[in-house]
Amino acid sequence: MTENQPPDHEEKNLSSECKELLSVPKERGWITHLRQYQFQGFWCPSAEVFQAVISFQKHFHAKDSDVVVASLPKSGTTWLKALTFAILNRHRFEIQTHPLLTSNSHNLVLFFELDLYTSNLVPDFSSKFPEPRLFATHIPFPSLGTIKESNSKIIYVCRNPFDSFVSAWHFVNEVRPQSSSPLSLDEAFDMYCQGMSAFGPFWDHILGYWKESLKRPNNVLFLKYEDMKEDGVVHLKALAKFLDCPFTEEEERNGVIEAIAKLCSFEAMKKLEINKTGTFVMNWENKTLFRKAEVGDWVNYLTPKMEERMSKVIEEKLGGSGLTFKVIPELADPVQ
Ligand code: PPS
């Protein structure tokens, strides 16, 4: 067996319902021995996730008060989970003893398809989930089941595909078992541009949430990673307002917004002991979630030819949507 083939057990533990559906197209995945499965137009990164998505769609009943953090992998999920958790729970916790100081945000805000429906096919929501319930997902909008028909609030974070790709490529090579050879930049890039990346094609994922945010702005907030990096406070205010819990003047005066921004900043989170030693989904190390967090780091990896190819894909697939991306950092005012 080559490392590209799945081990026999990969599909063995699936439910019979899921096995019936396994005739869907499969392709080599990004993480060795795991295949990706094309389902409802998107790529599920493994058989286990494929089963979890089916179970989520069948069993999850959205409540109008639910809040869902949505994203493509490597777009700022860890950050947005932390910010949303901190905003919604700001009256429960003091900054000095905040749960985000001792837990990674992935362990406070669980994914439907990577946590809740993976470990327990029909999770019990009666306990542990005070309202508003806060969840996360990488599932594309059209496949969100009952959430689509509810009045739930979705916050989507989008990152420019150049940086998102480079971040994903680094991550995959960090978590690949040592026994397997690294995934080359060329191979990963080719798969990405063909749309074969986790929960991709990336353009369909972004467009799905973008269009819904235009149609139902009270229910879907579309944020951009690069804008959030530029002005965290403005986006924190927008986020709190969207969640129907705007910061009061007194909170503003007392520096609550700045305190949350600092608590959730890359620099602060990366330094925490829990993020040096702990693990999150799939038992991956928390430290793999904190690399550089820069806008424009892709220029250190992609050749001009790659840049041209990716730009073409973006133009072809997202041109005319009104969406634009900042792919390099905002330049400081030129010196006079
Ligand atoms: S995951 O696995 O999908 O949840 O990963 P995700 O969090 O979406 O993306 C990881 C990248 O986000 C950077 N990161 C942050 N940026 C800003 N603020 C905070 N707090 C933060 N935490 C993580 C992280 O460094 C990854 O980007 P790269 O470019 O690889 O550094």
Side-chain angles (χ1 to χ4, degrees), residues 61 90 95 97 132 137 170 189 225 248 250:
H61 297 291
R90 65 187 190 269
I95 292 285
T97 51
T137 193
H170 275 285
F189 187 74
Y225 181 90
T248 62
E250 192 187 351

Side-chain angles (χ1 to χ4, degrees), residues 81 85 98-101 103-110 134:
K81 279 186 177 190
F85 180 88
H98 204 281
L100 278 165
L101 297 172
S103 300
N104 180 271
S105 59
H106 283 288
N107 294 325
L108 295 171
V109 184
L110 301 180
L134 175 56

Side-chain angles (χ1 to χ4, degrees), residues 73-79 106 138 159 167 225 264-266 269 289-293:
K74 306 301 147 192
S75 299
T77 323
T78 313
W79 189 17
H106 283 288
H138 289 317
R159 189 178 190 186
S167 181
Y225 181 90
C264 303
S265 69
F266 175 75
M269 288 178 83
L289 291 164
F290 304 94
R291 195 180 61 93
K292 282 189 177 174

Side-chain angles (χ1 to χ4, degrees), residues 71-83 105-106 111 114 138 157 159 163-164 166-168 170-171 225 229 261 263-270 280-281 284 288-295 297:
S71 62
L72 273 171
K74 306 301 147 192
S75 299
T77 323
T78 313
W79 189 17
L80 186 60
K81 279 186 177 190
L83 291 171
S105 59
H106 283 288
F111 286 112
L114 302 175
H138 289 317
V157 59
R159 189 178 190 186
D163 281 325
S164 211
V166 167
S167 181
H170 275 285
F171 175 77
Y225 181 90
K229 289 279 290 185
L263 175 74
C264 303
S265 69
F266 175 75
E267 293 72 22
M269 288 178 83
K270 187 177 172 128
F280 70 116
V281 294
W284 289 328
T288 60
L289 291 164
F290 304 94
R291 195 180 61 93
K292 282 189 177 174
E294 284 174 4
V295 177
D297 181 46

Side-chain angles (χ1 to χ4, degrees), residues 153-169:
K153 297 222 180 237
I154 299 173
I155 312 142
Y156 185 78
V157 59
C158 170
R159 189 178 190 186
N160 84 66
F162 292 89
D163 281 325
S164 211
F165 161 71
V166 167
S167 181
W169 175 70

